[in-house]
Amino acid sequence: MGRIRILSDNVANKIAAGEVVERPASVVKELLENSLDAGATDIRIDAEAGGRRLIRMVDNGIGMMRDDALLSLERHGTSKISDDKDLTRIATLGFRGEALPSIASVSRMLLETRARGEQSGTAVEIAGGKLLRCDEAALAEGTTITVRDLFFNVPARKKFLRSEPTEIAHLASLVTHYSLAHPQKSFQLRHNQSELLNTTPVATLRERVFQVFGSQILDELVDLGDLTRDLAMPMEPEEAPLTRRFRLRGFVSGPQVQKLNRNSIYLFVNGRLIRDKLLLHAISAAYHNLMPPACFPFALLFLDCDAEEVDVNVHPSKTEVRFRHGSLVHDFVRDSVREILMAQRPVSRIPEQSAPQPGAGLPYSEFSQRMANMSFDAPLPAGDPGHVPDFVLRRTQSPAPRFDFVEPSGAGTSGFAEPLGRLAVPETHGPLFPGAHIPEPESLEALRDLRPLGQIHESFIVAAGRDGLWIIDQHVAHERILFEQVLAQRARGAVESQRMLLPMVITVSPAQQLEYARIAEELEALGFETEPFGNRTIAIKAAPAGVSGADIEKVIFEILEISERELRKASLEESRALMAATIACRAAIKINMKLDMAKMDWLLKSLAATACPMTCPHGRPIALRYSTRDILKSFHRI
Ligand code: ADP
Ligand code: MG
């Protein structure tokens, strides 16, 4: 007896309908969800040309018998629900019976499947929705679906596909995230024959996070553990009390990791990767006062609850849900995350410099492009455990400053054992700065009465504090000060700007001209006075105070670039933050610049007055601290 039935019109009409297949990643999402629903434990995916030329998904799930294989390609053919009551308690990832027929209608598809316990399998070939053949075939148990030439018969669709690297990045990100949701399963992804992800089964989420992101990221994250709560549901007075069990697991970053948008927040509800405003809000609320308002954490959260508590039949791509008791869920998530964050004392050491860090030391334009790519289903690095995801945006690969400290005798026994003069080649020297820490939140108090002692390398301010010795990167410190200043002035509608004696005329590309027209008003709010000046030229008459000379032109181009790549996706707040960060970066004092004591003192005081003095708007650390205790220990006084 087959398992698949065609849903009645009554049920089919109650299903959120719409486009399923938008791009290669959406094909992979549907196929992956089917394999997981089929109980597969080993999933192999091959893609070619960003998934346009080929996507092949091989699973070892329950497979299908001949009749089911044919029915699976019919609209509303599904084994997962049968009546409309089932719609209120969906426990599988799929339920609409639309994915396979939709994919088959826009590609050349080969479905090969053999049901568990059957002697032989079935191969069905279908192109542009037309059945070409259905044959008995000798196959391994499980299902293999090969999708070739996506959108071959829908040229308009094909035109909208992005570049190969972009499409594969979306696809890889998706597979990576699903692999995080199933640590006990194997996932393999190859693109053009080269391996992008290969995870073997592990027992815990922690181990899978390690497999996918590497140990360095794990160090940045706080483990939520496994929180289970029975929450009392709000009831009418005459109703019997009812509790429902909610379970929350996952990882969040400490407040020192700050992202400019929500793209690094990954939410799974009952194993489904979703985007949910309520949960996003709960997470932001958990970081309230721990992070400045325009910053966001990295989070990987798995919320599990009774299927009746969550409606997934809300959006055609199944990426949105509606909770039956939204505010209870919101508060549970917010309070759980906040509690862990408060209990945690993030002692983040200077990262050991073993792996290259993409994103580190990038020019801002490239950095922002990467930020733009970190969208919901955008690239997360996969596979190589030494690979560090872009969300660690610390400048550890930029030329390391040379510290000329006196090497203590008895090296090897103290915290200063490393000859610090050799820090320029940290890869071979273990921790960059033994004993030095990125200051913890409680050090913020001490920041207020730092006394500058001098500069190293005309780039780093050395300061005495009541809790030890501090080293502050003058450029990023100033960047943080200006960033908050620009945003605050922008909010008041009073950005300080300077008029130029002669307008500066810049030439832009046609695309930039369009962008300019779109954001001219925002530029003005940020302190730029500009005017279109003939064909593809813009006259700049005034710029934000502090940005000078050639930097003015660079800021404009950077903002146009951010705007082009990021603004369409980002919220207005996020875009403003990005623009403000660009201005701050250009206006900030540079490294290799001599500062007098008064300037240093001013810089430290202003830094202490910022909302978030520990990381620059791009997420790099601003200050290092040697605690008095470490100093005492290093001199063998304790
Ligand atoms: P849905 O997942 O919403 O039911 P699909 O069009 O994605 O709809 O799939 C139709 C049916 O085909 C599923 O209900 C399932 O019974 C069957 N099916 C699809 N993929 C697989 C697979 N990889 N292994 C076993 N059965 C599958
Ligand atoms: Mg499906």
Side-chain angles (χ1 to χ4, degrees):
M1 248 279 286
R3 297 180 303 118
I4 301 182
R5 300 268 174 284
I6 305 290
L7 293 175
S8 68
D9 286 350
N10 172 37
V11 182
N13 289 339
K14 290 190 175 128
I15 287 177
E19 196 70 65
V20 184
V21 189
E22 242 179 284
R23 59 189 332 166
S26 36
V27 173
V28 169
K29 178 169 186 281
E30 294 296 336
L31 297 182
L32 198 53
E33 291 188 347
N34 279 345
S35 295
L36 290 167
D37 280 343
T41 55
D42 189 345
I43 293 170
R44 287 155 202 270
I45 304 154
D46 261 301
E48 282 172 22
R52 302 154 178 228
R53 187 159 65 224
L54 172 102
I55 295 169
R56 176 180 290 124
M57 173 105 32
V58 183
D59 76 36
N60 64 347
I62 55 172
M64 287 177 268
M65 307 226 277
R66 185 180 184 279
D67 288 355
D68 277 350
L70 285 168
L71 276 176
S72 75
L73 297 164
E74 297 283 338
R75 273 200 83 203
H76 302 307
T78 181
S79 57
K80 299 173 192 175
I81 62 168
S82 55
D83 58 32
D84 48 3
K85 271 200 253 39
D86 293 338
L87 276 175
T88 64
R89 43 168 190 244
I90 294 165
T92 46
L93 295 168
F95 57 89
R96 307 185 312 171
E98 281 195 308
L100 291 188
S102 304
I103 298 167
S105 69
V106 293
S107 67
R108 303 181 215 277
M109 183 196 272
L110 173 63
L111 163 64
E112 296 168 291
T113 184
R114 182 176 139 204
R116 258 179 217 163
E118 292 296 309
Q119 292 307 309
S120 68
T122 310
V124 186
E125 212 174 322
I126 179 167
K130 282 198 197 67
L131 186 70
L132 302 181
R133 69 177 176 101
C134 173
D135 299 324
E136 193 175 322
L139 298 165
E141 277 183 6
T143 302
T144 297
I145 294 184
T146 309
V147 176
R148 287 183 199 278
D149 304 329
L150 187 63
F151 298 135
F152 79 96
N153 55 349
V154 200
R157 243 3 233 277
K158 209 168 166 180
K159 269 219 300 274
F160 276 100
L161 289 178
R162 306 279 296 276
S163 68
E164 183 172 320
T166 303
E167 293 300 342
I168 194 64
H170 281 273
L171 200 157
S173 162
L174 192 102
V175 181
T176 305
H177 296 135
Y178 270 98
S179 81
L180 288 163
H182 299 272
Q184 289 89 355
K185 302 188 173 188
S186 300
F187 291 82
Q188 190 191 61
L189 172 65
R190 293 189 309 176
H191 182 234
N192 298 343
Q193 312 292 334
S194 69
E195 193 170 82
L196 295 182
L197 177 79
N198 193 351
T199 58
T200 50
V202 284
T204 61
L205 173 60
R206 191 180 184 81
E207 288 166 88
R208 182 51 58 91
V209 170
F210 174 79
Q211 279 182 330
V212 173
F213 296 130
S215 63
Q216 209 159 11
I217 299 316
L218 258 185
D219 290 347
E220 298 267 0
L221 302 180
V222 184
D223 193 342
L224 288 178
D226 194 335
L227 302 161
T228 306
R229 293 269 186 293
D230 291 318
L231 302 179
M233 299 292 115
M235 288 285 144
E236 297 299 323
E238 66 275 12
E239 287 177 311
L242 173 70
T243 60
R244 289 263 197 230
R245 181 156 290 188
F246 287 81
R247 179 178 182 211
L248 185 67
R249 294 166 303 133
F251 289 85
V252 292
S253 56
Q256 77 281 6
V257 174
Q258 292 166 12
K259 321 289 299 164
L260 292 172
N261 54 40
R262 298 181 180 83
N263 293 344
S264 306
I265 300 178
Y266 304 106
L267 305 170
F268 287 82
V269 172
N270 290 345
R272 185 191 304 281
L273 181 60
I274 56 142
R275 208 80 192 126
D276 181 64
K277 286 204 185 75
L278 181 95
L279 292 181
L280 286 171
H281 186 270
I283 293 167
S284 288
Y287 284 83
H288 185 63
N289 285 342
L290 298 175
M291 245 191 219
C295 296
F296 302 91
F298 166 92
L300 173 65
L301 293 188
F302 297 92
L303 179 69
D304 295 301
C305 60
D306 197 294
E308 287 181 32
E309 282 299 313
V310 41
D311 183 3
V312 292
N313 185 24
V314 176
H315 190 263
S317 63
K318 299 175 288 182
T319 51
E320 285 173 26
V321 294
R322 197 174 297 130
F323 289 100
R324 187 184 280 198
H325 299 100
S327 68
L328 282 180
V329 174
H330 174 276
D331 294 356
F332 167 56
V333 171
R334 180 197 59 200
D335 297 346
S336 306
V337 174
R338 187 149 184 102
E339 244 165 65
I340 295 276
L341 287 174
M342 297 309 256
Q344 192 74 18
R345 302 206 160 176
V347 184
S348 41
R349 294 186 72 90
I350 301 276
E352 296 185 22
Q353 302 203 342
S354 50
Q357 299 202 2
L362 286 175
Y364 187 73
S365 54
E366 205 175 329
F367 160 77
S368 63
Q369 182 189 351
R370 291 184 177 211
M371 291 293 289
N373 285 340
M374 294 283 292
S375 66
F376 173 43
D377 48 3
L380 262 204
D384 175 10
H387 188 118
V388 180
D390 290 10
F391 69 73
V392 177
L393 293 158
R394 299 217 159 133
R395 203 185 41 173
T396 46
Q397 283 293 302
S398 57
R402 299 191 79 90
F403 292 91
D404 299 316
F405 284 4
V406 179
E407 191 178 335
S409 58
T413 52
S414 76
F416 291 102
E418 285 296 317
L420 295 173
R422 276 189 236 141
L423 286 174
V425 280
E427 288 84 353
T428 54
H429 283 266
L432 169 62
F433 222 122
H437 292 83
I438 296 167
E440 300 150 28
E442 58 263 39
S443 317
L444 295 184
E445 279 298 305
L447 183 61
R448 264 180 223 138
D449 48 36
L450 286 188
R451 207 160 29 86
L453 303 173
Q455 249 177 323
I456 309 170
H457 203 60
E458 299 191 339
S459 303
F460 305 93
I461 300 170
V462 183
R466 53 174 130 124
D467 60 345
L469 175 78
W470 289 59
I471 303 174
I472 287 120
D473 181 324
Q474 65 193 37
H475 170 70
V476 290
H478 197 207
E479 206 176 330
R480 164 55 67 186
I481 297 163
L482 293 174
F483 173 67
E484 293 191 10
Q485 193 180 311
V486 171
L487 280 182
Q489 291 176 348
R490 167 74 186 74
R492 291 200 309 272
V495 174
E496 269 179 57
S497 82
Q498 58 190 4
R499 287 199 74 80
M500 279 177 273
L501 287 176
L502 279 177
M504 179 186 248
V505 177
I506 60 169
T507 308
V508 295
S509 70
Q512 285 167 332
Q513 173 120 33
L514 287 176
E515 248 356 276
Y516 165 73
R518 205 168 63 80
I519 62 159
E521 225 168 278
E522 184 60 33
L523 279 173
E524 195 177 327
L526 285 166
F528 285 102
E529 202 186 313
T530 60
E531 233 174 48
F533 191 75
N535 190 22
R536 294 192 15 220
T537 47
I538 299 169
I540 306 165
K541 296 178 165 173
V547 184
S548 56
D551 280 342
I552 295 176
E553 192 176 336
K554 285 187 194 137
V555 175
I556 295 270
F557 280 119
E558 280 171 10
I559 288 180
L560 287 173
E561 199 169 325
I562 299 170
S563 134
E564 218 175 327
R565 297 201 164 110
E566 179 85 39
L567 293 198
R568 290 180 210 287
K569 274 194 272 172
S571 75
L572 196 59
E573 254 71 24
E574 287 163 357
S575 317
R576 278 184 189 151
L578 278 167
M579 292 182 182
T582 305
I583 293 169
C585 181
R586 288 290 169 188
I589 48 169
K590 310 283 184 279
I591 57 163
N592 295 315
M593 185 187 274
K594 206 173 168 64
L595 302 178
D596 59 28
M597 284 296 176
K599 260 261 166 62
M600 289 187 229
D601 198 51
W602 170 85
L603 194 72
L604 297 180
K605 294 268 175 327
S606 314
L607 178 65
T610 60
C612 189
M614 288 309 161
T615 42
C616 89
H618 305 167
R620 310 191 302 223
I622 292 173
L624 305 179
R625 185 188 56 134
Y626 272 113
S627 69
T628 311
R629 202 186 138 71
D630 279 344
I631 295 172
L632 287 168
K633 249 169 75 189
S634 305
F635 286 112
H636 301 191
R637 297 209 174 267
I638 51 169

